[in-house]
Amino acid sequence: MNAFNHQKELQKIIQRYVLGTATPDEILFVEKYYQYLDKNPDILEQFNADEIARLADVNFTAIKSKINLNEKRKTVNLYKYISAAAILLVIAGTTFVFLYKTKSGLKRDSAIHKQLDILPGTNKAILTLADGSKIVLDEHTAANISDKDGLKISKTNEGQLVYTVLDQSHLKLGSAIAYNTIQTPKGGQYQVILPDGTKVWLNAASSLKYPEVFSGNIRSVELTGEAYFEVAKNKARPFHVKNHHQDVEVLGTHFNINSYLDDNTIKTTLLEGRVRISNGQSVKILKPGEQAIAEVSGDGIITVATGVDADDETAWKNGLFQFNNADLKSVLSQLERWYDVDIDYHTIPNKKYNGMVPRKSKLSDVLKMLEKTGNIRFEIAEGKKLKVLPGK
């Protein structure tokens, strides 16, 4: 697809957006892309005014009236942004987007073998009940999983596991707590609505252990991997998320925890409310827009970063990879979990990426965009082993 066709395809998407006929994916693309550029205006610096004037041909006023951006941010210069989009975007289908900024500019795509056409992850997980029985959760699993002792466990076709307490009279003080565990594999994700109404989104290669019914004065769950929480408010019963290195205490709030064991850091990002984080060495209280970072193998001290872009940390929940000056190793580790491939990290160069990629894209589409510098290429060996090689 040449630059002219890129521009025409982009204009078609925007036209459908303005007319109200865009698909949900196209709506997400337009709005997320403009918000992304609003926060990263330096991406446009490499283009001159003549290029912008020549490529721009869309109804900016109509778009601006439909996009609801945060009033605290500066007004989006839609004229510049859509022009830059015509230069920068390569659209596969109608939703694939990736931006890459490099001093040497964008280079020609290199060919990628068909064997790299690995499909993206899906809604799938394994549920382990209190009695040890395991249930595979996918589109073929029956909707009604369990209905006994006043507790109903069901699943939806949208990848959601729902716990509904119908009768708490069977619960007795001092009785043993029955735990369930939901685990997503590489290439899987799932959502859980816990018995108290708390919503949890699990990213790939993650697990959550929780009681079938919360009892006592504390609601406590255990997390490995990454999850986004919308905790049901209950001031009398604090909610705790524990993992291998820290404890997060909340009353009712929205936050994301990234605690993959192979990352060597735990990142807790707060979107709404307040949380208290402790690990035996340090205690921090977060406010919205802050992120706690704990080095697992270090001295245990928790540091707090302010002004964090929550969109970057929670994009996965909304069906996107979103990179903001992310190093290639970090980008590939996300692809490794989502596409269930093994990355050879020995030959990864020091490169930075900015952009957005729909998680429903095939692996080959994503890798083509990463190859755009012309300085790297990818190969898949037996066992879905992905190698990074110097560009030809």
Side-chain angles (χ1 to χ4, degrees):
M1 186 181 289
N2 58 36
F4 177 79
N5 287 333
H6 294 166
Q7 179 194 3
K8 290 298 182 183
E9 188 61 54
L10 180 62
Q11 290 173 346
K12 289 178 183 178
I13 295 174
I14 294 173
Q15 183 179 35
R16 288 193 290 270
Y17 179 88
V18 172
L19 295 175
T21 59
T23 67
D25 284 332
E26 290 170 347
I27 293 171
L28 178 65
F29 155 55
V30 173
E31 297 186 353
K32 282 288 185 181
Y33 178 61
Y34 278 104
Q35 292 180 37
Y36 177 83
L37 286 175
D38 185 44
K39 292 177 286 186
N40 297 276
D42 59 312
I43 290 176
L44 305 177
E45 292 176 357
Q46 58 189 297
F47 301 106
N48 61 50
D50 290 338
E51 287 176 321
I52 291 174
R54 178 174 58 84
L55 290 169
D57 183 23
V58 293
N59 188 338
F60 305 108
T61 303
I63 300 171
K64 186 175 180 179
S65 67
K66 294 179 73 69
I67 298 179
N68 182 23
L69 292 175
N70 189 319
E71 292 181 358
K72 293 182 180 179
R73 296 175 183 168
K74 63 183 181 180
T75 303
V76 180
N77 187 334
L78 295 175
Y79 183 83
K80 282 188 177 181
Y81 289 167
I82 200 62
S83 305
I87 303 169
L88 285 172
L89 294 184
V90 174
I91 300 174
T94 58
T95 59
F96 189 86
V97 185
F98 196 95
L99 310 177
Y100 181 72
K101 185 180 180 184
T102 173
K103 292 182 180 179
S104 61
L106 298 180
K107 304 291 183 63
R108 187 178 61 181
D109 288 344
S110 64
I112 292 185
H113 196 276
K114 288 184 179 180
Q115 72 181 130
L116 295 189
D117 274 343
I118 297 174
L119 296 179
T122 58
N123 293 322
K124 58 185 177 182
I126 296 176
L127 173 65
T128 303
L129 299 176
D131 62 4
S133 59
K134 296 182 182 294
I135 300 172
V136 176
L137 302 176
D138 56 26
E139 67 271 19
H140 304 297
T141 310
N144 188 22
I145 295 174
S146 176
D147 189 354
K148 62 180 181 178
D149 297 331
L151 177 68
K152 180 179 180 180
I153 306 175
S154 57
K155 64 167 283 289
T156 69
N157 292 330
E158 290 74 38
Q160 186 180 76
L161 186 67
V162 183
Y163 283 74
T164 306
V165 179
L166 303 175
D167 179 16
Q168 292 195 11
S169 62
H170 69 287
L171 295 177
K172 298 180 181 179
L173 290 176
S175 60
I177 300 176
Y179 287 93
N180 288 181
T181 300
I182 183 171
Q183 182 176 13
T184 56
K186 282 186 176 181
Q189 64 180 8
Y190 225 81
Q191 183 184 355
V192 187
I193 299 181
L194 298 175
D196 67 335
T198 292
K199 297 179 180 179
V200 186
W201 285 258
L202 274 182
N203 204 349
S206 303
S207 69
L208 185 73
K209 181 180 179 181
Y210 51 91
E212 288 186 342
V213 178
F214 290 108
S215 61
N217 297 325
I218 294 178
R219 296 171 290 165
S220 182
V221 301
E222 297 178 19
L223 171 69
T224 299
E226 184 170 24
Y228 175 82
F229 291 81
E230 291 184 358
V231 177
K233 294 182 179 180
N234 188 334
K235 291 184 179 180
R237 304 174 71 191
F239 192 97
H240 287 252
V241 181
K242 299 181 178 182
N243 54 41
H244 59 283
H245 196 67
Q246 69 179 26
D247 176 29
V248 178
E249 178 184 354
V250 304
L251 296 176
T253 189
H254 299 181
F255 60 99
N256 190 85
I257 298 179
N258 186 324
S259 61
Y260 287 109
L261 294 174
D262 54 357
D263 279 350
N264 201 38
T265 60
I266 301 175
K267 295 180 180 179
T268 305
T269 309
L270 183 63
L271 286 78
E272 177 184 307
R274 286 200 174 192
V275 298
R276 178 181 180 273
I277 302 173
S278 59
N279 63 1
Q281 300 293 326
S282 185
V283 177
K284 299 291 181 181
I285 296 178
L286 295 187
K287 295 180 292 186
E290 293 183 340
Q291 181 182 79
I293 303 172
E295 298 287 342
V296 175
S297 60
D299 56 13
I301 300 300
I302 301 173
T303 60
V304 176
T306 60
V308 175
D309 190 342
D311 287 345
D312 290 345
E313 303 300 324
T314 61
W316 66 269
K317 166 184 166 288
N318 299 318
L320 293 169
F321 294 110
Q322 185 162 316
F323 309 122
N324 187 3
N325 202 35
D327 59 77
L328 182 57
K329 181 178 179 180
S330 173
V331 171
L332 292 179
S333 68
Q334 294 184 53
L335 301 184
E336 181 177 35
R337 297 177 187 124
W338 186 235
Y339 293 96
D340 191 13
V341 294
D342 291 322
I343 307 293
D344 184 347
Y345 289 100
H346 293 93
T347 58
I348 295 179
N350 183 21
K351 294 182 180 294
K352 301 289 185 179
Y353 287 87
N354 295 280
M356 296 189 300
V357 186
R359 276 162 60 105
K360 74 174 188 178
S361 304
K362 292 185 295 186
L363 179 60
S364 61
D365 289 332
V366 182
L367 296 181
K368 284 177 183 177
M369 302 311 300
L370 294 177
E371 284 190 343
K372 272 200 165 295
T373 61
N375 298 322
I376 60 172
R377 56 191 175 89
F378 296 94
E379 286 187 359
I380 288 272
E382 278 188 42
K384 297 169 70 175
K385 186 82 170 181
L386 181 64
K387 290 186 177 181
V388 184
L389 303 173
K392 294 180 179 179

